[in-house]
Structures are given as C-alpha cells and as structure tokens.
Amino acid sequence: MPEIFISYRRADSRATAERIYDRLVQQFGRDSVFKDVNEIRPGDSFADVLKDSLANCDILLVIIGKVWLDIRDSSGSRRLDDANDFVRLEVQTGLNRSDIRVIPLLVDGASLPERSALPAALQKLVDRQTIQIRFDPDFHRDMDDLIAAIQPPRNSRNTRRLVLSALFGLLLIMGLAWVAFKGISGNETPLSPTEAASATVKVAVNPTSKPTEIQTPTLLATNDTTPKPTPETGKSLDFPKTYAFYPVRDGVRVRLGPDQAVVAAVNQKDILRLVEGTDTSGPWLQIRTTAGATGYVASEDVKPLPVTIPLGVNINPRSQVDTPEPSLLGRITWVRFVYDVSMGTGNQDLTKAYNFYDPIIQKYADAGYKVMLIFTHQTFGEGAGYNWSEMDDKKWTEYVGSFAAACTNIADHYKDKNMVSSYQIWNEQDANSGALASIPIPPKSYSDMLTEAIRSVRDTDKQAIVLSGGLVTGPSSGASYIRDVASKSSPDTRQDGIAIHPYGRGVLGSIYANFGSITEYVQNVERVFPNVAVWFTEWGVLERQNEAASDIAQFASGTVDLLTKDYSDHVAALIWFGWSDNMYNSYGLVDRDGKPKPYLYEWFTGIKS
C-alpha cells in the first residue's frame, strides 16, 4: 500500500484538500494518507511530524489552487520565498528524493506556475506530470484517475503468470487457426458452421480493470451525452456534443452563402450558434450570430464550443406532472427539489417523509442522475408556530438548533446509499423583506444556520456536496451578503459552493436579461470566494409563459454558451426553473399537461420532442 503525503495551503485549497483526503482514505485507509490537521495531535511538534511523515512517504501530492503561488505572510512577503516555509520544505524534500513520486494536483481551475515564478529550489516541479481535479460532477472521475495513477504495480509473480497465460492462449488460438486453415485447404472437408462455432476460443476480459497509465486530463470536460432511450420508441437519439462555435480571430466574415457577399463580421468574443441540420464536416458552416444574423462562415475560421457545464432542472415531487420519469431527462445531470417534511402543518414525521421521497430519489439515482435536496423552513418549521416575519436573533438561534437536528437525521438516513449527491441550506436567504416565495434571514443568523447545518451534514455524510442557499438580490448585494455571512462564520465550515438565482440575467442583448449579464454574478462572488464554485441552482424566465419556446431556447443556449466559453472552470451547474409551467411563475421545459415545448425541451435534454 503506498504512503501518501498531501501538501497544501489552507488559505488556498482547504475545502478541496479535505475532499481529496477523504476520498484517498476511503481507497487506501487512514494509515496510508497524511494531511496535517488530521494526523498531528495536540502537543506534537509540527515540524518533526512533517519531517517523519515525509521520510516515510512514497507519493507527495502537491495541491495547487489559484492563489498557492502568491500567498503572503504578515509582512507582505511571499511565503514560498521563505526557506523555512513548511509548504516549500515539503515540496523541496519530495523533489530532491528519487524515491518519492511528486504529483502536482491542479484544483479549482488553477494552472501550473511558470518555472520563472518559482524559487530555484522548486523549479523542477514544472517538469512533473500534473493531474487536474475539477469541480463536480468531474471530481470523482478525476479522483479515479489519480487513484489509478498511484496504485502500486501488481505482484511480479502474478504479472509473470498473466504473461504466461496470455502466451499460452495465443499459441492455442494460433493452433486452432491452423486446424481451421487445414480444414478448408487441399482435399480436406470444410468445417460446418456448427463445427466452426465449437472451435472458437473465447477470451474473457475483466471490464472493471483500469490501465495503470493515466492520460493527461483535459482542461475542459463535456457533459455525458451518451444517447438515452426516448420514451416513445426506446431507441437512442444522438445529440451532438458540439452545438456552437467561436471565431479563431477578430474580423471573421459571415457570408450570405459559401463564397458569397459578406453580411457581418464577428470577433473572438462572439458565439456562433449552429443552424439545425448543418453538416459540420464540410468547408462551410451555417450559423446564427449573437446579434441574430444568419449566414455562413468557413470551417477553418471557427473552433467548436462543447457543452461543459452540467445542466439540471427543478422539480416538484408533490406533483405528478412535475416529477418526470428519468427517461424524459436525457442529458440533464441534476434534479433539485425542496425536501418538504412540514407540509404546512408543522409535521415532523421523518419516517413518513422517507416513505414518500425515497422511491422518487432512488429512481433518479438508479438512472444515473444526481439529486440535490434543499433544506428550508418547509423541511422543519412551517406550520409549527413560527412567525417568520417577526423572527429576531434570539428566535433564529432557537430555531437553528432544531433545524440542524433535522438536517442531521435526513443526511444520516441517506448516507452510504448513493442516492443524494448534494444538500442546499435554505433558499434565497438574502431576499428582501416581504418576498412571496422566500424567508429572508439576517447574515449573522444565517451564518449560524449554515455553520450548524454544514457540520450536521458533514459529520454524517462526508461525500455530499453542501451549498449555501441561492442568492437572489443581485451581484453586488448578493456578494455583500455572503461576505458578511463569511465574516461571521467558523473557518472550518466553509460550504462547497455558492448558490445563485440569477433571474433576469443572461447573455447581454436578450430581452430576458433585463438586469444585465449573468457573468457579473460569477465575477463578484469570485472576488469573495476565489476558490469556491458557483452553482446556479435556480435559473430561468419568470412570468412569461406565453413567450415562444424557440426564443427562450435561444436565451438559454446563449447564456450557457457564454458561461462555457469564459467560466467553465468556475461554474459547477446551471439548474433550470422549472420542469413545467405548473411550478411557481416558471417557464417550464414542458407545459402544464407535461407536453414538451419545441426547441427548449430538445435543447436541454437532447431528446427529440
């Protein structure tokens, strides 16, 4: 079993380092993985323990986030330039020893530093093969690759046995082939089909075995676009991974037709939508520009923009129409809904809730979809005598304890069942007073709630992703609110992602983006939490159910294109609100009767409607 040492900076990548540590412990055992806060006991010498652990390790994992290179001490000096800095000493020791494999892990969208930016003692780090550990949904796939890369080689005796077995099998096949050849040559009687079938040698292959050599991970990931069966025919539909393009340079010409008059010019920042039915293998592509112009561009002048940000949809398990069968979801990744225990009556019977929700969650999990549960006042408290508009700090403090206990019980119920992938703590807590669909919470009270809820979930289910509630008041106000919450929170309970509800925002120029660009949210949140993923857990068009589905589809696809092109390393998911028009103010993917809307449903799911 390999001995693994994890080197990281807490201010750079603590949350991601903890997830990596937990996954490695699950695979190799706690005794084989060292991470400072988990292994150093009170009273131990920090330096001595690090030295001893490094002396015994086989693998040194250097976790590099976006600010790893430039973190500074109280005097303003870069910590890597200090010869006694612990992280520098860890990396330097690993690089100077031939018996330690040093693997840089690039997390949270970071890149490997330039050689010239590193101290001379660490410059050999850039010569080591890196592995990228991305946000969900790619985290566990990337960890699978890492584990495969650090697995010890098989016992040499077993290897020799396998080689000898393979040689024997090869000789046997050659012998049978010679027999078959003799049977159909000269005056011999040819083998009958039955005899030929009986002479076939079948070689068993273990489908779960993984190669020991790891390929360099790509920077961009694509959604799983494996064709899924349609409910009508049971046959698979191919949905192209490439649905949009961007120019390779500024000034690319858009023409009326191949080699015809120029009708527009586009720049690298523009996104070009492929017109349905266009053959992407030819020298010309028929496209539609962001401004709405349609024309042709030369294939050599553009590059494909693949789908990289996972899509999701909000559902309502209390409504049959709003609880779609998995076969209707296609390439969608996430399913999100409120875990409503109270039912407006103050009910606290969790067994009754489990009996209702478990079959629904199980069917999505069994089909490969990820389930996100929202813990709100509907999970605990609604109808139980709380007057939400009159809650003060004292009342919120009393409420938080009971709310966290409910979170603990529910997370404990679903742990180790591979049913729930994420929990979200509250919904639109930054909303203005009097909001119809939200219960606002002051930052200090929400900080207490978030801290207790995160501890409750993580103490029970360390694999689950825990998100803050969706911010709804806008990029500036929302970022200010979450900054205020963070300043009052315990540093050991940071959430895995910041959730946002960017209604009225999208790609600039769309009438449905009346409040501005969706990217302002990403930029503002990134300033507060540079290493935490952004999750758009509610996103869509409200109060416009009479609009043309094709127009909404163009808005949705254009927004995803924009985020994919510029923020695919920072946005973890885009979850549409909601599945049907029955959901509150929603422009659904299907109408009130469950009938798919042309263009919009097909674009989201990849299933022909």
Side-chain angles (χ1 to χ4, degrees):
M1 192 71 69
E3 298 295 320
I4 303 166
F5 186 105
I6 298 177
S7 171
Y8 74 106
R9 289 200 185 279
R10 298 183 195 180
D12 172 58
S13 54
R14 178 170 185 167
T16 306
E18 288 176 352
R19 292 194 73 195
I20 291 171
Y21 171 82
D22 289 342
R23 181 66 194 280
L24 293 175
V25 166
Q26 186 180 38
Q27 179 71 27
F28 298 108
R30 189 173 299 277
D31 292 340
S32 295
V33 187
F34 177 90
K35 184 169 75 69
D36 55 4
V37 296
N38 300 84
E39 311 302 334
I40 300 178
R41 299 171 301 177
D44 285 347
S45 166
F46 194 85
D48 289 344
V49 173
L50 288 181
K51 182 179 179 181
D52 292 343
S53 299
L54 271 171
N56 296 320
C57 83
D58 306 300
I59 307 285
L60 173 62
L61 302 179
V62 183
I63 298 180
I64 299 174
K66 286 188 173 181
V67 296
W68 179 86
L69 181 67
D70 201 44
I71 288 180
R72 297 178 181 270
D73 59 23
S74 58
S75 67
S77 300
R78 197 174 67 156
R79 293 180 63 178
L80 274 183
D81 293 327
D82 179 1
N84 295 315
D85 175 62
F86 282 120
V87 170
R88 171 171 169 162
L89 289 172
E90 291 164 5
V91 178
Q92 185 174 330
T93 299
L95 292 173
N96 289 339
R97 280 183 44 187
S98 60
D99 58 334
I100 295 180
R101 288 178 59 200
V102 179
I103 303 176
L105 300 185
L106 306 181
V107 304
D108 303 333
S111 301
L112 190 66
E114 296 289 337
R115 188 184 302 272
S116 59
L118 292 168
L122 304 186
Q123 290 184 356
K124 289 188 292 184
L125 185 65
V126 302
D127 300 324
R128 303 301 174 102
Q129 179 65 53
T130 64
I131 293 179
Q132 190 177 31
I133 306 296
R134 295 167 292 183
F135 296 120
D136 289 299
D138 301 302
F139 175 82
H140 289 294
R141 286 196 294 270
D142 291 343
M143 285 302 300
D144 287 341
D145 289 340
L146 173 61
I147 288 168
I150 63 181
Q151 287 277 18
R154 295 183 183 183
N155 181 279
S156 58
R157 181 180 300 175
N158 291 339
T159 303
R160 287 194 297 270
R161 186 180 300 154
L162 289 172
V163 170
L164 291 173
S165 298
L167 288 172
F168 176 78
L170 179 61
L171 291 172
L172 181 60
I173 292 171
M174 292 173 63
L176 289 169
W178 181 82
V179 171
F181 171 76
K182 289 293 290 181
I184 60 173
S185 63
N187 297 320
E188 299 282 354
T189 304
L191 292 173
S192 68
T194 303
E195 292 169 331
S198 66
T200 301
V201 177
K202 295 182 179 179
V203 181
V205 178
N206 179 5
T208 63
S209 62
K210 295 182 179 179
T212 56
E213 182 178 351
I214 177 173
Q215 301 218 350
T216 304
T218 55
L219 201 58
L220 294 179
T222 57
N223 276 347
D224 178 12
T225 52
T226 303
K228 300 187 186 327
T230 66
E232 296 85 359
T233 64
K235 296 180 180 179
S236 294
L237 280 171
D238 289 327
F239 193 84
K241 289 185 179 181
T242 299
Y243 62 94
F245 293 78
Y246 66 94
V248 298
R249 63 181 183 280
D250 289 346
V252 167
R253 296 172 179 176
V254 180
R255 298 179 180 272
L256 185 63
D259 290 322
Q260 294 185 18
V262 175
V263 295
V266 289
N267 298 324
Q268 284 183 290
K269 65 180 180 61
D270 293 314
I271 296 169
L272 311 178
R273 297 282 305 164
L274 197 65
V275 172
E276 186 176 1
T278 299
D279 178 10
T280 57
S281 63
W284 293 90
L285 300 175
Q286 188 178 15
I287 54 86
R288 183 179 293 106
T289 69
T290 306
T294 301
Y296 289 79
V297 294
S299 299
E300 63 185 18
D301 289 339
V302 295
K303 286 186 176 181
L305 183 70
V307 177
T308 65
I309 299 177
L311 302 177
V313 66
N314 284 271
I315 68 169
N316 177 14
R318 298 290 178 179
S319 163
Q320 185 174 354
V321 173
D322 292 312
T323 313
E325 290 299 315
S327 59
L328 296 174
L329 296 179
R331 66 171 179 159
I332 284 173
T333 299
W334 285 94
V335 174
R336 174 183 182 263
F337 60 87
V338 173
Y339 202 82
D340 187 354
V341 178
S342 298
M343 295 300 296
T345 65
N347 175 61
Q348 297 179 28
D349 186 348
L350 288 176
T351 301
K352 183 178 179 181
Y354 299 150
N355 290 338
F356 176 78
Y357 286 113
D358 283 9
I360 296 171
I361 297 173
Q362 190 70 63
K363 74 175 181 180
Y364 290 124
D366 288 346
Y369 295 98
K370 295 179 181 292
V371 174
M372 179 184 297
L373 302 184
I374 317 164
F375 292 155
T376 71
H377 61 294
Q378 293 169 286
T379 307
F380 174 82
E382 187 179 43
Y386 293 96
N387 188 333
W388 304 112
S389 62
E390 296 181 3
M391 296 286 281
D392 55 22
D393 289 345
K394 181 179 179 181
K395 291 177 180 178
W396 276 117
T397 299
E398 294 171 352
Y399 173 82
V400 162
S402 300
F403 175 80
C407 295
T408 298
N409 291 330
I410 296 169
D412 184 64
H413 174 73
Y414 289 112
K415 72 174 182 180
D416 301 327
K417 294 181 179 178
N418 296 319
M419 293 172 67
V420 178
S421 298
S422 177
Y423 297 96
Q424 189 168 11
I425 312 304
W426 216 254
N427 200 54
E428 300 179 355
Q429 62 280 357
D430 66 325
N432 296 319
S433 178
L436 295 177
S438 311
I439 303 295
I441 309 179
K444 174 61 172 70
S445 297
Y446 183 66
S447 172
D448 295 341
M449 173 185 287
L450 190 62
T451 296
E452 292 305 314
I454 288 175
R455 285 174 176 163
S456 297
V457 172
R458 286 186 178 157
D459 285 349
T460 302
D461 185 354
K462 296 185 181 300
Q463 297 300 317
I465 300 166
V466 186
L467 308 178
S468 64
L471 302 172
V472 74
T473 52
S476 297
S477 297
S480 177
Y481 179 93
I482 202 67
R483 183 187 295 110
D484 199 3
V485 169
S487 70
K488 298 172 172 63
S489 299
S490 174
D492 67 331
T493 54
R494 177 175 289 187
Q495 63 272 21
D496 296 309
I498 304 295
I500 297 171
H501 296 173
Y503 291 115
R505 290 183 177 271
V507 61
L508 284 178
S510 170
I511 62 171
Y512 308 116
N514 50 301
F515 292 142
S517 174
I518 196 172
T519 61
E520 292 179 42
Y521 259 121
V522 184
Q523 294 162 357
N524 283 21
V525 170
E526 189 174 18
R527 292 188 188 104
V528 182
F529 290 110
N531 302 309
V532 179
V534 170
W535 294 67
F536 292 111
T537 52
E538 283 186 27
W539 164 66
V541 175
L542 301 181
E543 300 179 341
R544 290 176 177 262
Q545 292 183 352
N546 293 325
E547 301 284 314
S550 57
D551 291 341
I552 305 296
Q554 187 172 354
F555 161 73
S557 60
T559 301
V560 172
D561 291 346
L562 174 65
L563 291 170
T564 296
K565 186 169 184 292
D566 295 332
Y567 295 98
S568 62
D569 63 340
H570 207 77
V571 176
L574 281 154
I575 304 178
W576 186 259
F577 189 87
W579 175 254
S580 90
D581 288 346
N582 295 308
M583 299 180 70
Y584 182 75
N585 281 342
S586 166
Y587 194 100
L589 304 183
V590 303
D591 64 17
R592 292 183 181 276
D593 297 322
K595 182 180 179 181
K597 295 182 180 179
Y599 305 107
L600 181 62
Y601 171 81
E602 181 179 336
W603 181 83
F604 258 95
T605 66
I607 298 174
K608 300 287 185 181
S609 59

